[in-house]
Amino acid sequence: MQLDEAERRLRDSAFVLKEPALTEYVRAVLCRTVGTDRCRGARIYVVRNPEFNASMAPNGMMVVNSGLLVRVRDEAELAAILGHEFAHFEQRHSLHRFQHTRSMTDVVAWMSVVAASGASYQVRSTAINVANSAVGSMFAFGRDEEREADLLGAKYMIAAGYDPNALPDIWNRAMDEADATAFGRKQKSHRYDRLSFFASHPTDLQRATYLRTLVAGMGQGDAGREPLQTAVKPLRGAFLADQIKLNDFGGTEYLFGQLAGDTWDAELLCARGDLYRTRGNPRDLVSAAAFYTQAIALDPANADAYRGLGLAQLRGGDAHGVDALKRYLALRPDAPDHAMIQTLLP
């Protein structure tokens, strides 16, 4: 009942993308992965959220973040994630976790009463240990369900003919991006070889390891890189802009590099310029102007590149930014920020 109400609120949310073509593409991948008959009960919502995540509720509501669609390289990786979430739904994991958590919190409550009573030290100590074990059981139960969903989702996507090598690759890149985020923020990297007491999921290293063992010796399957890129391309620029707003320079720079590979297109160069211009160090403004210039060389009609170039140059004290902003307004006379940009011109 709570999830039905949550779905009603989500359905009317401005964050849900009203893009039928993209939603139908995600549905087609899910149906190929788990079967047409079984996917009929899924109601898919693609949400504009730059975080790498997806979820599926016991009532059939599947939420797919835009951050997931940006990060998966091909259809096989998307199928692996969707299969994992469908496995949660099919095995009723959320309901089981709710029931288990309710039972364990009852145990914790009663043990807290015992620990607070006037019983002997040994009785109170035993009660505290039992309560701690009950808390740990809740998180261990969730980790077991995640492993089960990983392996069941893997079987789905492999049976559908997708490339099994996509499974460990996802988590390897997730670790690399997290390391890049930590480095950019001058923090210590995560310890993927250790499991926190309160961890609700296995570590990315654990997932990559047992999934790599699962697919060892399997041949190549269908990757589906082109269909995914075609489906995401119309909205990729907006998704990249959302990623920049996370204020995660290191992780975003890594992500852009992964998306570009050996070839940077105009859209990615423009987004990279926005990333450097947003951080705004003096050297960043020089780098940003260079990226915008490269984007303009590839696409002379890219109005956003002229806008970014002009703003970066003016902020860095280069008067040539005025010319770039004039070119931006000429290319996009109906720009929503026309009045604001006009105030920067002599």
Side-chain angles (χ1 to χ4, degrees):
M1 291 172 61
Q2 291 175 345
L3 289 167
D4 285 342
E5 177 60 28
E7 183 174 358
R8 280 192 288 271
R9 293 196 302 269
L10 176 66
R11 191 170 52 231
D12 299 329
S13 171
F15 291 99
V16 175
L17 290 170
K18 306 301 190 290
E19 299 290 338
L22 181 60
T23 303
E24 285 306 311
Y25 170 74
V26 175
R27 175 178 294 280
V29 175
L30 174 65
C31 290
R32 175 180 168 179
T33 304
V34 304
T36 303
D37 291 337
R38 296 162 73 196
C39 82
R40 285 198 181 113
R43 297 176 301 283
I44 297 175
Y45 300 90
V46 180
V47 177
R48 191 163 173 178
N49 183 332
E51 299 290 346
F52 172 58
N53 199 15
S55 63
M56 190 166 186
N59 66 344
M61 173 181 64
M62 176 175 278
V63 178
V64 179
N65 285 3
S66 58
L68 169 65
L69 297 177
V70 168
R71 284 169 173 80
V72 290
R73 285 181 173 175
D74 49 46
E75 198 170 289
E77 292 187 352
L78 177 60
I81 299 296
L82 298 182
H84 168 95
E85 298 304 332
F86 191 86
H88 280 311
F89 166 71
E90 194 167 51
Q91 299 299 311
R92 301 173 71 82
H93 282 166
S94 296
L95 291 176
H96 294 160
R97 190 178 306 182
F98 171 79
Q99 293 165 348
H100 182 78
T101 299
R102 185 173 60 182
S103 299
M104 291 302 100
T105 51
D106 288 346
V107 171
V108 172
W110 280 111
M111 291 302 100
S112 299
V113 172
V114 173
S117 68
S120 66
Y121 170 80
Q122 184 176 3
V123 171
R124 295 198 306 272
S125 177
T126 301
I128 293 173
N129 290 336
V130 171
N132 290 337
S133 297
V135 172
S137 173
M138 289 187 283
F139 294 100
F141 189 84
R143 293 193 295 270
D144 290 340
E145 288 187 331
E146 289 297 328
R147 278 188 285 269
E148 182 182 4
D150 278 338
L151 297 175
L152 187 54
K155 293 178 181 179
Y156 290 154
M157 60 92 69
I158 293 171
Y162 284 115
D163 186 3
N165 297 296
L167 291 164
D169 289 347
I170 298 170
W171 302 111
N172 286 330
R173 295 202 311 278
M175 287 186 285
D176 289 341
E177 183 176 339
D179 288 343
T181 295
F183 181 79
R185 292 175 176 172
K186 296 180 174 58
Q187 299 172 344
K188 290 184 178 180
S189 178
H190 297 268
R191 288 296 302 268
Y192 301 106
D193 57 338
R194 294 183 182 178
L195 193 63
S196 167
F197 179 80
F198 298 105
S200 60
H201 291 62
T203 68
D204 291 347
L205 179 60
Q206 288 178 326
R207 297 176 113 164
T209 300
Y210 61 65
L211 289 173
R212 188 181 297 108
T213 302
L214 176 69
V215 304
M218 294 185 181
Q220 297 288 328
D222 179 23
R225 189 176 182 87
E226 290 298 327
L228 175 73
Q229 292 182 342
T230 301
V232 176
K233 180 65 176 176
L235 294 168
R236 192 179 67 161
F239 296 165
L240 297 179
D242 292 341
Q243 174 65 29
I244 293 171
K245 293 173 184 175
L246 290 178
N247 194 26
D248 175 11
F249 184 89
T252 303
E253 173 77 349
Y254 169 82
L255 174 61
F256 287 178
Q258 287 294 304
L259 292 174
D262 296 330
T263 306
W264 289 81
D265 60 27
E267 184 177 64
L268 276 172
L269 284 168
C270 187
R272 195 181 188 191
D274 290 341
L275 175 66
Y276 277 75
R277 180 172 58 83
T278 300
R279 190 168 68 167
N281 295 330
R283 184 62 191 172
D284 289 335
L285 298 176
V286 176
S287 298
F291 296 141
Y292 291 130
T293 302
Q294 294 173 38
I296 291 169
L298 293 175
D299 181 10
N302 191 323
D304 291 330
Y306 280 104
R307 178 185 183 276
L309 176 61
L311 293 175
Q313 288 178 330
L314 288 181
R315 189 172 176 183
D318 186 349
H320 289 94
V322 171
D323 297 330
L325 292 180
K326 287 181 178 179
R327 181 60 179 158
Y328 164 66
L329 295 180
L331 289 171
R332 191 173 293 170
D334 58 345
D337 60 350
H338 189 285
M340 186 274 289
I341 296 295
Q342 194 67 47
T343 63
L344 301 177
L345 304 179

